[in-house]
Amino acid sequence: MDHFIFKKGELYCEDVPVRKIVEEASTPLYIYSSATLKRHFEAFDKAFASHPHLVCFAVKANNNLSILNLLARLGSGADIVSGGELFRALKAGIPAGKIVYSGVGKTLDEIRYALTSGILMFNVESMDELDAIKNTAAALKKQANISFRVNPDVDPKTHPYISTGLKKNKFGLACANAIEAYHKASHMDGLKVVGISCHIGSQITETSPFVETARKIRNLVDELGRDGIDLKFIDMGGGLGIKYNAEAPPKPEEYLSAILPELSSMPQTLIIEPGRAICGNAGILVTKLLYTKDTGEKRFYIVDAAMNDLARPSLYQAHHEIVPVEETAAASQPVDIVGPICETGDFFAKDRPMPPMEKGSLLAIKSAGAYGFSMSSNYNSRPRPAEVMVTGDSFRIIRHRETYENLIRGEDN
Ligand code: LLP
């Protein structure tokens, strides 16, 4: 069930009119539906029920403490890629023992922080990094649980910027080098080899790349087992796509029933790291129409949100549905929906059919819950938006709008 629907001619999030939230929290504004977040997390968790598993939400998709806390209460772990994400995950109540640490460039400080926190495992991406983890663990007299991130060389058939599992990408170890890496690591003091991990890309809308990856991982795990290296965890990464426009991505249960046959005979605990599929369609960005402008050539809707608030359209030419918050039957005509930032790339939609709208009307940019706020910036010295969580007929601000004072925090004159 969609929790962003029109009732009596206006857009609601769950049981609250978006207009009413804006009256209190202003625009631009991110609004999330807690029922959607819960349903999406549970879809993964339940589809996995037949096998020992752990769902580690990818914090980079949305790192708001309240969202992480909601997921923590549902039993989620976290996939993190920085010390800052570890800090947030722990603050939000995600147990360290459910946190996996991915990323190609972990610093010594970050490794130290993760070791002293007692995370579940490091997904190691190079032999250099393995050395750094080993030395840091030795200095702290601790043991580091590690898995290698392998690069299965599978084409995820998605945008090149978000493909990660091809040979030419910077991520992971090539499968051909993985066996040797495991042998080396299994003889090193201070390290405990516990798993294998992978992540082939994001916004993947077919099951076949995941199935091919699962098969390659299973072959590696079998080979390692024959060599006496027994793993406890298989981490399949994230990457399941969502519907932004005309895509028809598999549902979590379809994705898992495609990969589970490849892995169900394995005794290892399965980990997955979904981000977008949990929070993408649980959030919208609400913005106000400031001005309209006709150049003869084109018609522009200039809104109060910009590429600093939601970068995906500028960065990836990503499509986000945009709807007026107040329903109208008026005929649409093509407009460019743009922000106030001084860049031609500052747009949300081009030549998009939209009805005529009054200045001050509200627009909802949909599917903005993943890689929306988490990729926002202060470019053009714009304070970042507020965030609101809706639960049934109530809502609360889960992040206050930034102030001008916030903008200069830490700076000297
Ligand atoms: N695990 C690892 C190691 C990752 O690198 C990522 C995402 C995920 C899990 C979660 O992937 P998801 O389930 O969300 O697809 N900013 C881009 C997406 C970048 C994804 C980077 N890695 C966008 O807005 O489309």
Side-chain angles (χ1 to χ4, degrees), residues 44 56-61 79-81 100-103 123 125 149 158-159 161-162 164 171 197-204 210 235-241 244 272-279 311-312 315-316 318 320 370-372 374-375:
F44 280 104
C56 288
F57 175 66
V59 173
K60 64 170 83 64
D79 163 54
I80 58 155
V81 289
V100 296
Y101 192 166
S102 308
N123 292 340
E125 301 229 9
R149 173 165 174 183
T158 183
H159 192 289
Y161 282 13
I162 50 178
T164 48
F171 299 97
S197 72
C198 62
H199 171 78
I200 54 172
S202 198
Q203 185 54 15
I204 299 169
F210 292 116
D235 179 345
M236 290 294 296
L240 183 62
Y244 285 99
I272 47 166
E273 306 169 351
R276 189 190 318 262
I278 289 182
C279 60
R312 303 193 72 259
L315 207 52
Y316 316 114
H320 285 257
Y371 307 107
S374 67
M375 288 174 69

Side-chain angles (χ1 to χ4, degrees), residues 97 99-101 119-124 130 133 143-149 181-182 185-188 190-197 217 221 224 228-235 267-271:
I99 296 179
V100 296
Y101 192 166
I119 63 163
L120 179 62
M121 66 183 185
F122 291 90
N123 292 340
V124 178
L130 185 74
I133 294 174
Q143 198 173 44
N145 291 337
I146 65 123
S147 88
F148 281 107
R149 173 165 174 183
Y182 272 100
S186 65
H187 293 109
M188 287 181 179
L191 295 181
K192 187 159 178 220
V193 175
V194 295
I196 187 163
S197 72
I217 296 288
V221 174
L224 288 169
I229 299 176
D230 291 316
L231 304 179
K232 287 212 296 223
F233 302 103
I234 297 179
D235 179 345
Q268 283 83 10
T269 296
L270 295 179
I271 296 177

Side-chain angles (χ1 to χ4, degrees), residues 256-278:
L256 284 165
S257 56
I259 62 167
L260 272 175
E262 304 297 329
L263 301 169
S264 57
S265 61
M266 318 289 284
Q268 283 83 10
T269 296
L270 295 179
I271 296 177
I272 47 166
E273 306 169 351
R276 189 190 318 262
I278 289 182

